[in-house]
Amino acid sequence: MKKIITFLVLLLCTTPVFAATTSSDITKETEIQTRIDSVAVKLLNNNKITKRIIFAYDKRAKKKALSTDKALTKRQIIIYDGLYQHIQTDDELAAMMAREIATAMKSYDGSFGGWIDSAQVALGSKKFETVSDKRAVDYLVNAGYNPLAVIIFINKTCPQKRHDTFSRHNLTSKRLARVYEYITFKYPQYLENNEYINNEYYQNFLLTSVENRKKLEKKIRTKSTKDVDYE
Amino acid sequence: MNKFIATLLSLAFLTLPTYGIEMAPIPEVEAIETEEVVTEEVKELPYNYESTYKVPIKLGIVEPITTKGETLYEGQTLQFKVLQDTYCRRKTFLKKGTIVNAKIETLISSGMNGFPAEIILGNFEIPGTKPSQLVDTYTKKGQNRCYIVYPIKWALTIIPFVGSLTNFIKGGHARIKAKDEIVIYYYPDWK
């Protein structure tokens, strides 16, 4: 009997500790959700996106394998904690969400309430990965964020595979080079007055993209309109 | 009975710190109540989408374009002409034939599995309007061949690997012809 009472007493003692932890967690999550909503609504309103899209923070590190992308099915963008931990500035957060907005917008197009287009985005993710990156740059510029944050976000979060021939995803170095090219041609002012020149992550991108940037320089020099074969 | 009382007392004693934690913020709350209430100024937003009044502007391209042959590029400026006189609150706002510039925002090439090519236009420069007053994103797609590809793929799945051959069917090219009518909307009451 004594043991049971002792156990119950110990259990009672620990309860407030759990309560305190949960309370601080809730406060932290609320702060994160508020930050996400604030940046997201700025992106939606400034880009005059006339379709409904919502945003939710999820404590899990990443999406479950084989689960459907809610951006396509419910137009609900989930920001997983594993990615959120990489975010430092609002520019980077906007970059992450702008990519997802571009994906969610595709789900509104086409026949059967966008079902066909959503299936195509899900199946042809390699192609639409590049499209989402480029649209994200446009969305960021329209909302007053720096589009170079897209480069920093991708550079920080996406691993570099060996090849992409049979993959559903592009090589990260190719994606980065295409985004850089897009900014070079469409928004050169962000490179001329580069706010990120002293950013270590941006410098890391410059260091790892020397060969691809050389190819871009050649394209500019020769005034070619053909796609560059990036590495 | 003594044990029961002792347990109750020990429980009460042990839970005291919890009350202490809970009670701690009370003085802060009182302090806040006595402070002057500072009202936060509401910032004026750079947009106001309250008005629903919109003017459709019908445009046609001057030179037809196609994604075939890699002649188009992102950021390329294209010319359009206004197809009919446009009125805003009973006043002539745009004359028929007025030339309007726009840019190619994004190009999506056609892909395997019948994915169509796509041209996304934006940045229409309409005289007398601000970009914030226009809903001006226009998308033109090529022929979506997935309606043919997917049924064939599923039908051929029974023969190993044959269904996968449909992967090589590409989608159609996107074309904007001279007779295509492009409608963008001007909201004169938006900021």
Side-chain angles (χ1 to χ4, degrees):
Chain A
M1 187 64 184
K2 273 182 186 175
K3 280 179 185 173
I4 294 168
I5 291 166
T6 316
F7 174 72
L8 284 172
V9 167
L10 282 170
L11 197 71
L12 278 168
C13 291
T14 54
T15 313
V17 180
F18 291 139
T21 315
T22 314
S23 168
S24 95
D25 277 358
I26 291 168
T27 313
K28 195 185 154 196
E29 281 171 35
T30 311
E31 278 173 15
I32 294 172
Q33 185 64 54
T34 308
R35 187 187 177 201
I36 287 168
D37 286 338
S38 161
V39 175
V41 81
K42 201 176 165 187
L43 279 170
L44 296 176
N45 287 350
N46 282 293
N47 283 289
K48 286 174 272 176
I49 289 171
T50 53
K51 307 290 183 191
R52 286 200 68 250
I53 299 168
I54 62 160
F55 300 80
Y57 169 69
D58 194 321
K59 274 199 299 184
R60 281 176 299 176
K62 61 178 182 180
K63 188 165 83 84
K64 276 183 190 172
L66 300 174
S67 63
T68 51
D69 187 354
K70 284 188 179 174
L72 288 169
T73 54
K74 291 183 176 178
R75 288 83 185 232
Q76 182 187 31
I77 291 163
I78 310 287
I79 287 98
Y80 292 97
D81 194 59
L83 276 182
Y84 187 80
Q85 283 175 9
H86 289 281
I87 301 298
Q88 286 173 317
T89 63
D90 279 358
D91 282 346
E92 289 169 36
L93 180 60
M96 176 165 73
M97 289 193 288
R99 287 197 71 262
E100 298 296 326
I101 290 172
T103 308
M105 283 302 287
K106 281 297 288 177
S107 77
Y108 273 106
D109 285 348
S111 315
F112 304 106
W115 193 89
I116 296 287
D117 278 44
S118 299
Q120 285 190 322
V121 172
L123 292 168
S125 50
K126 201 169 177 178
K127 179 181 286 295
F128 289 104
E129 201 171 51
T130 309
V131 175
S132 295
D133 290 342
K134 288 177 178 177
R135 295 302 290 162
V137 168
D138 292 329
Y139 289 156
L140 256 69
V141 172
N142 292 340
Y145 293 107
N146 194 321
L148 292 171
V150 175
I151 290 178
I152 290 167
F153 171 70
I154 296 170
N155 198 35
K156 270 186 194 178
T157 56
C158 300
Q160 180 75 16
K161 291 184 179 175
R162 284 189 180 81
H163 52 77
D164 63 351
T165 316
F166 300 107
S167 171
R168 290 177 66 227
H169 297 280
N170 297 287
L171 279 181
T172 305
S173 54
K174 281 186 187 175
R175 283 176 65 193
L176 288 166
R178 285 173 193 149
V179 173
Y180 187 80
E181 181 186 329
Y182 194 69
I183 296 171
T184 305
F185 285 114
K186 270 191 93 176
Y187 307 107
Q189 67 273 28
Y190 287 95
L191 292 171
E192 283 158 17
N193 306 308
N194 198 333
E195 289 173 15
Y196 279 86
I197 203 72
N198 292 317
N199 182 303
E200 285 177 334
Y201 299 104
Y202 183 69
Q203 284 296 333
N204 178 260
F205 156 71
L206 293 178
L207 177 69
T208 55
S209 64
V210 171
E211 290 307 315
N212 282 338
R213 285 187 295 122
K214 264 188 181 176
K215 289 182 178 181
L216 176 61
E217 282 168 13
K218 192 183 170 189
K219 179 179 177 172
I220 296 167
R221 213 170 39 244
T222 56
K223 292 179 182 171
S224 165
T225 55
K226 287 186 177 176
D227 286 344
V228 182
D229 189 21
Y230 290 117
E231 292 166 4
Chain B
M1 186 63 184
N2 284 345
K3 278 183 184 173
F4 180 70
I5 293 164
T7 314
L8 277 179
L9 281 171
S10 61
L11 277 173
F13 179 74
L14 285 164
T15 50
L16 270 176
T18 321
Y19 298 137
I21 293 162
E22 292 296 321
M23 296 292 278
I26 290 172
E28 288 173 24
V29 174
E30 282 172 356
I32 290 164
E33 281 173 359
T34 53
E35 279 175 15
E36 282 181 28
V37 180
V38 181
T39 49
E40 201 178 308
E41 277 186 37
V42 180
K43 278 185 187 174
E44 197 183 336
L45 292 168
Y47 43 78
N48 182 356
Y49 301 133
E50 197 178 3
S51 171
T52 57
Y53 178 68
K54 63 180 178 182
V55 178
I57 302 168
K58 292 178 180 173
L59 303 166
I61 197 160
V62 174
E63 284 287 320
I65 55 165
T66 173
T67 51
K68 198 176 181 180
E70 292 189 4
T71 50
L72 302 178
Y73 58 91
E74 282 155 348
Q76 185 177 346
T77 304
L78 302 172
Q79 284 197 322
F80 296 84
K81 62 182 174 192
V82 178
L83 294 178
Q84 60 187 52
D85 286 349
T86 309
Y87 301 93
C88 177
R89 296 202 166 97
R90 293 179 186 177
K91 282 182 185 172
T92 309
F93 162 65
L94 277 174
K95 287 257 181 199
K96 184 183 173 182
T98 308
I99 298 292
V100 167
N101 285 339
K103 279 187 176 165
I104 298 177
E105 291 264 305
T106 312
L107 283 172
I108 306 172
S109 56
S110 63
M112 296 203 302
N113 276 313
F115 291 179
E118 224 170 289
I119 303 171
I120 303 173
L121 302 175
N123 290 315
F124 284 85
E125 293 168 8
I126 310 282
T129 66
K130 288 189 278 183
S132 58
Q133 294 172 317
L134 297 169
V135 174
D136 61 347
T137 304
Y138 174 81
T139 307
K140 184 72 193 276
K141 283 183 187 177
Q143 191 187 44
N144 195 343
R145 291 177 187 148
C146 79
Y147 299 105
I148 311 161
V149 171
Y150 293 144
I152 297 172
K153 191 193 284 287
W154 283 107
L156 294 174
T157 307
I158 44 169
I159 312 164
F161 310 113
V162 178
S164 301
L165 291 174
T166 57
N167 288 348
F168 299 105
I169 299 174
K170 282 189 134 189
H173 284 286
R175 290 181 181 88
I176 301 181
K177 297 171 193 163
K179 63 177 182 181
D180 286 347
E181 192 178 85
I182 295 166
V183 184
I184 61 165
Y185 292 96
Y186 167 52
Y187 289 78
D189 298 330
W190 286 4
K191 279 190 198 175

